[in-house]
Amino acid sequence: MKIRLRLALWYSGVTSLILLLFLLGTYLGMRHLLFAALDKELDFVIESIEQSYDPETGIFEGLKHNPVNLSQHLKKFYLVVRDTSETPVFYSLLAQQIALDIPLARNGERVSSFVHLAPEKIPSLRLNGKLKHKAYVSFRSVSRQLYYREKRVGWATIALPVADVEDSLEHLFLLLAVGGLIVAALIGVGSFFLTRQALSPVRNIIRKARQVSHSHLDERIEIQNPADELGQLTMVLNDLFERLQKAFGTQKQFLADAAHELKTPLSILRSHWESEIDNPAVPHALKEKIVQDIENITRLSRLINSLLFLSQTEQINSNFEFEILELGGLIQEVAADIRMLTEAKSQQLQVVELVPATIRGDRSRLYQLFFNLIDNAAKYTPEGGKIWISLRLENNRALAEVRDNGPGIPAADLPHIFQRFYRVNKDRARKSGGSGLGLAICRLIAEAHSGIIDVESEVGKGSVFWVSLPLQV
Ligand code: ADP
């Protein structure tokens, strides 16, 4: 899973959890407040009854003076007041119609609780449709003993249906749930964009680092903020590229120096042996050996040149001189130069198709690329064999093919033949003077031209090497 997605999930997950806890806290807090307000109202009624106690008559004046009005006033309450012998002395209107099982608080404590009643047991209570469908109707009840100057004078039991509070709580719950879901969704989307934004410098670093490693070692990643972690990472990477560039440079220099040091004595050796061939004093048998040595020296020189070329061309596009050129003409030129070789082996070299194709490229490098391919075809195809060359257009690209009816390449070797020093049949390759660097050079040149090079081959039937290059538009 991508770090961006992981971060976004973590961020929105944790924030949603905090949001959920906050909403739950809000809901529970509101619930507590609403029921506390209800309890306060119940306590207030009990207190006013308690305060209306007349010690001389032994009755609660508040209940006596206008019991009808009082009970009207207390219509919404369930209220039962008892005297000291637990005999009920007052029932509110609701208490006359229903019986709630509220425990009496006997030991001086105030007992508050919820009591429930099936809706069908509340005939006169104006139940709205919603309540009728509930399994039970809940009441909040308070029960406590009544005192006059620390003397117990009776009991009061009071209750109120909590349907209104429950309704409000239900609405609140819905509101919080819907609001919470919307906010959670917004957090999810927001965190996705936020992490994308936060990680965009990382994407930039990756893109740049790829460019550096693939092509120019002298490129550096731009440091946006040297103080933050990404800035420091960029600095470390830049430092690494610096050291890599130095190491490559040293290696290249070493190779160039070594090649140079080897080339001079080799050419001296070669001209020395060549002059010996013409020397009539040198016996014939020795001359044959000298010819062999000259061949080996030539091969060695070629190998050194190839190595030098590879090391110089390591950095794509370095030393390339691009120009607009006609690829067909160039291929024809290569074919004409190789014809001598093929004729010597009685091979047929045929240019079967050649359409005009203008590309942007380095003439001498492309010459080398096609020379290597056609030269390989001539080298590995036996005497009397055939080589076909074609150039056509496909998907806005120039597609050049070098086909032969030579020995072909085994499928197991095909993925490796563009690697350096890879040769299919070491003996055969050595006899043909190959070093295994030719195709590696071809691939390097093709890639420097944003091209693709590949091969299809079948043992016993032949090979097709194709190069596709972008057209100049
Ligand atoms: P070399 O210098 O040995 O020719 P290359 O890199 O040019 O090295 O080729 C790698 C190997 O691919 C060769 O050793 C050869 O076995 C095989 N190869 C290349 N071209 C052909 C071809 N046209 N037909 C058969 N084998 C080929």
Side-chain angles (χ1 to χ4, degrees):
M1 199 193 277
K2 276 193 173 179
I3 191 163
R4 189 175 116 195
L5 193 65
R6 253 188 357 236
L7 265 178
L9 284 179
W10 266 105
Y11 185 76
S12 51
V14 170
T15 327
S16 301
L17 192 74
I18 293 171
L19 179 76
L20 183 76
L21 290 177
F22 172 74
L23 294 180
L24 205 71
T26 309
Y27 175 78
L28 291 177
M30 276 308 285
R31 188 175 187 275
H32 176 80
L33 281 178
L34 286 173
F35 281 118
L38 202 69
D39 279 5
K40 217 167 163 187
E41 203 181 339
L42 296 177
D43 283 333
F44 177 75
V45 175
I46 293 182
E47 248 167 57
S48 48
I49 293 168
E50 189 174 45
Q51 279 164 11
S52 71
Y53 181 75
D54 183 348
E56 280 175 19
T57 54
I59 51 173
F60 298 96
E61 293 295 328
L63 296 173
K64 186 192 158 206
H65 285 319
N66 199 346
V68 176
N69 276 353
L70 184 72
S71 43
Q72 277 297 337
H73 166 68
L74 293 175
K75 199 167 98 181
K76 64 173 179 171
F77 290 94
Y78 172 96
L79 175 65
V80 180
V81 180
R82 296 160 204 267
D83 62 13
T84 43
S85 60
E86 290 187 26
T87 313
V89 291
F90 177 81
Y91 285 101
S92 72
L93 215 59
L94 185 58
Q96 288 164 31
Q97 291 162 347
I98 60 172
L100 289 180
D101 190 16
I102 303 169
L104 283 185
R106 286 212 161 75
N107 46 8
E109 283 171 5
R110 171 187 174 281
V111 177
S112 66
S113 61
F114 285 101
V115 279
H116 311 288
L117 205 65
E120 55 271 17
K121 292 193 177 160
I122 318 173
S124 66
L125 189 67
R126 279 178 55 221
L127 292 170
N128 60 31
K130 223 161 125 196
L131 279 181
K132 266 184 211 152
H133 294 110
K134 285 201 168 183
Y136 53 79
V137 178
S138 300
F139 292 80
R140 177 72 176 170
S141 73
V142 170
S143 157
R144 77 165 170 88
Q145 290 180 343
L146 303 173
Y147 287 90
Y148 177 77
R149 293 193 182 153
E150 307 203 348
K151 179 182 159 236
R152 190 160 50 79
V153 288
W155 274 276
T157 308
I158 190 164
L160 256 183
V162 292
D164 286 350
V165 177
E166 273 178 344
D167 257 12
S168 306
L169 283 174
E170 220 166 86
H171 280 125
L172 181 71
F173 183 82
L174 263 175
L175 207 76
L176 294 179
V178 172
L181 277 177
I182 292 172
V183 175
L186 287 177
I187 288 173
V189 175
S191 55
F192 191 73
F193 282 107
L194 215 73
T195 46
R196 200 170 84 150
Q197 187 70 13
L199 289 178
S200 78
V202 178
R203 279 204 305 277
N204 197 26
I205 292 173
I206 293 172
R207 190 168 44 82
K208 270 284 184 184
R210 274 211 184 112
Q211 277 173 11
V212 174
S213 53
H214 275 192
S215 56
H216 311 285
L217 267 173
D218 53 348
E219 274 216 28
R220 295 290 174 268
I221 306 168
E222 196 187 323
I223 300 170
Q224 279 172 357
N225 182 1
D228 70 11
E229 287 83 350
L230 289 179
Q232 281 165 17
L233 174 72
T234 314
M235 277 197 272
V236 172
L237 279 175
N238 279 346
D239 198 41
L240 182 71
F241 295 143
E242 184 86 40
R243 278 180 282 147
L244 265 178
Q245 191 187 11
K246 274 196 189 136
F248 269 95
T250 318
Q251 192 205 37
K252 239 171 70 181
Q253 195 54 44
F254 171 77
L255 208 66
D257 291 349
H260 187 74
E261 292 302 316
L262 285 169
K263 265 166 93 174
T264 322
L266 274 179
S267 56
I268 295 171
L269 208 61
R270 185 187 167 130
S271 51
H272 173 74
W273 283 133
E274 275 170 355
S275 65
E276 286 304 309
I277 287 180
D278 300 332
N279 187 352
V282 177
H284 184 72
L286 195 59
K287 277 189 183 173
E288 272 182 10
K289 285 199 172 129
I290 290 175
V291 170
Q292 260 179 23
D293 276 355
I294 291 176
E295 265 176 26
N296 281 329
I297 291 169
T298 313
R299 188 179 302 164
L300 205 56
S301 301
R302 258 209 312 266
L303 175 66
I304 289 167
N305 281 338
S306 296
L307 277 174
L308 206 58
F309 179 86
L310 272 174
S311 82
Q312 280 168 353
T313 324
E314 198 75 82
Q315 287 185 23
I316 288 182
N317 294 355
S318 67
N319 309 322
F320 276 67
E321 284 169 19
F322 287 98
E323 58 178 301
I324 308 296
L325 55 91
E326 183 44 49
L327 191 61
L330 187 110
I331 290 177
Q332 205 126 38
E333 214 178 290
V334 181
D337 290 349
I338 283 184
R339 204 168 285 281
M340 247 175 48
L341 280 175
T342 51
E343 277 170 5
K345 281 181 84 177
S346 314
Q347 292 165 333
Q348 255 187 56
L349 176 68
Q350 229 179 320
V351 180
V352 282
E353 188 186 2
L354 211 65
V355 299
T358 310
I359 63 154
R360 189 174 164 274
D362 181 314
R363 183 176 288 278
S364 63
R365 304 293 162 100
L366 286 174
Y367 181 95
Q368 189 170 4
L369 160 60
F370 288 106
F371 188 92
N372 282 358
L373 291 184
I374 306 172
D375 183 47
N376 270 353
K379 253 183 348 194
Y380 295 109
T381 305
E383 295 209 359
K386 282 185 187 165
I387 300 162
W388 298 272
I389 299 169
S390 70
L391 173 67
R392 57 178 196 275
L393 304 184
E394 217 174 87
N395 300 330
N396 248 347
R397 290 173 82 91
L399 184 72
E401 270 184 14
V402 178
R403 182 186 293 268
D404 64 55
N405 65 349
I409 302 164
D413 293 303
L414 281 178
H416 309 290
I417 59 161
F418 290 98
Q419 288 166 10
R420 284 167 201 189
F421 296 111
Y422 192 87
R423 285 167 303 175
V424 174
N425 180 333
K426 308 274 184 286
D427 282 348
R428 188 177 77 190
R430 196 166 297 120
K431 267 187 221 129
S432 63
S435 59
L437 290 176
L439 289 178
I441 290 176
C442 289
R443 188 172 65 176
L444 209 70
I445 298 172
E447 283 173 359
H449 285 82
S450 310
I452 304 164
I453 183 167
D454 212 345
V455 59
E456 280 157 33
S457 187
E458 204 177 317
V459 175
K461 286 202 168 164
S463 318
V464 194
F465 281 86
W466 57 263
V467 182
S468 138
L469 295 168
L471 285 175
Q472 174 72 21
V473 278

